[in-house]
Amino acid sequence: MTQDELKAQAAHAALDEIPDGAIVGVGTGSTVNHFIDALAGQRQRIRGAVSSSERSSERLRGHGITVFEAGDVQRLPVYVDGADEIDGRGFMIKGGGAALTREKIVADLAERFVCIVDAGKCVQTLGAFALPVEVITMATAQVARRFEALGGRAVLRAGVLTDNGHPLLDVHGLAIADPLALEIEVNQWPGVVTVGLFARHRASLCLVGSEQGVQRRVF
Ligand code: 5RP
């Protein structure tokens, strides 16, 4: 199977995690696009969605699914999103699609985070995928120096601004043994909007598309 077929497999399995009548938290990326397309077939069963990006909102609306603002809801039963890497504890690197800040905001509203990935995203230690960090422009060089002091190499993502209008750094060369500690540390640095470590907002369930079928990992 191709990587895209494995993504689609995981995405379809996530439909079983959506309660009837729910407003669903919806992430961003190619795996989530499969989820949105599958959700369209069940749109009568849900009230709508809160989305983590303009791209996902547009796709949801295109399928006739109502998109609510994050401020319209107090709690979501479930948030479904992909990841760039996920480890054996449900900690993730996210932000390859530049939507990390809104992803963390919507994840924070949700009781459960259902992560959908192909098997290639499962790692022992996070960090082979460069860690995305959304920053205020003025702080870019200083935040890059702080990562260098930790042994990382921060590269500005060329030609990309987030939906919030901020630049992104991609930090290479980190082997992240303690994702929770690093997330807390980087969150203290002035000018950091969001670090793409999802440790405080880790997955509760990961659905992994594999040649052997969908594997279900509960955290
Ligand atoms: C976007 C993300 C995505 O979930 C992550 O990049 C995975 O994307 P894809 O499903 O296309 O592999 O964090 O900001």
Side-chain angles (χ1 to χ4, degrees):
M1 290 170 86
T2 64
Q3 186 188 26
D4 196 55
E5 286 166 341
L6 297 177
K7 288 180 181 193
Q9 194 189 62
H12 280 84
L15 291 176
D16 293 341
E17 306 301 324
I18 310 304
D20 287 347
I23 298 177
V24 185
V26 174
T28 300
S30 56
T31 316
V32 166
N33 284 345
H34 286 297
F35 173 70
I36 294 172
D37 296 348
L39 193 62
Q42 304 195 355
R43 66 174 174 277
Q44 313 301 349
R45 198 167 75 70
I46 60 166
R47 281 179 62 202
V50 173
S51 153
S52 69
S53 64
E54 303 295 343
R55 280 165 284 163
S56 289
S57 295
E58 200 177 311
R59 197 173 188 101
L60 286 158
R61 289 194 187 102
H63 283 307
I65 297 172
T66 304
V67 177
F68 293 87
E69 296 297 324
D72 293 338
V73 300
Q74 286 189 8
R75 212 74 198 122
L76 299 169
V78 64
Y79 175 63
V80 179
D81 199 358
D84 298 303
E85 285 184 345
I86 181 164
D87 75 8
R89 296 166 290 182
F91 297 145
M92 297 167 282
I93 285 182
K94 292 184 45 53
L100 63 170
T101 297
R102 296 188 186 195
E103 289 173 342
K104 218 176 256 193
I105 291 168
V106 185
D108 192 55
L109 286 168
E111 279 155 35
R112 299 173 69 223
F113 188 136
V114 174
C115 178
I116 48 176
V117 291
D118 63 274
K121 305 279 188 68
C122 299
V123 300
Q124 213 157 26
T125 305
L126 300 178
F129 189 94
L131 177 66
V133 187
E134 182 169 346
V135 290
I136 302 288
T137 303
M138 180 187 174
T140 306
Q142 172 67 348
V143 171
R145 277 191 293 271
R146 283 187 178 272
F147 275 112
E148 271 149 36
L150 297 181
R153 187 173 55 85
V155 177
L156 188 67
R157 201 179 295 183
V160 175
L161 293 178
T162 68
D163 281 351
N164 313 305
H166 300 130
L168 285 160
L169 291 170
D170 290 308
V171 186
H172 300 257
L174 298 172
I176 306 171
D178 190 342
L180 187 57
L182 185 62
E183 183 181 17
I184 291 168
E185 163 72 17
V186 175
N187 277 338
Q188 315 294 323
W189 299 350
V192 168
V193 177
T194 302
V195 57
L197 276 170
F198 283 59
R200 293 193 62 201
H201 296 86
R202 68 176 175 156
S204 352
L205 170 68
C206 187
L207 299 169
V208 184
S210 78
E211 295 290 345
Q212 292 73 40
V214 176
Q215 294 165 20
R216 197 181 157 83
R217 299 191 185 151
V218 180
F219 303 106

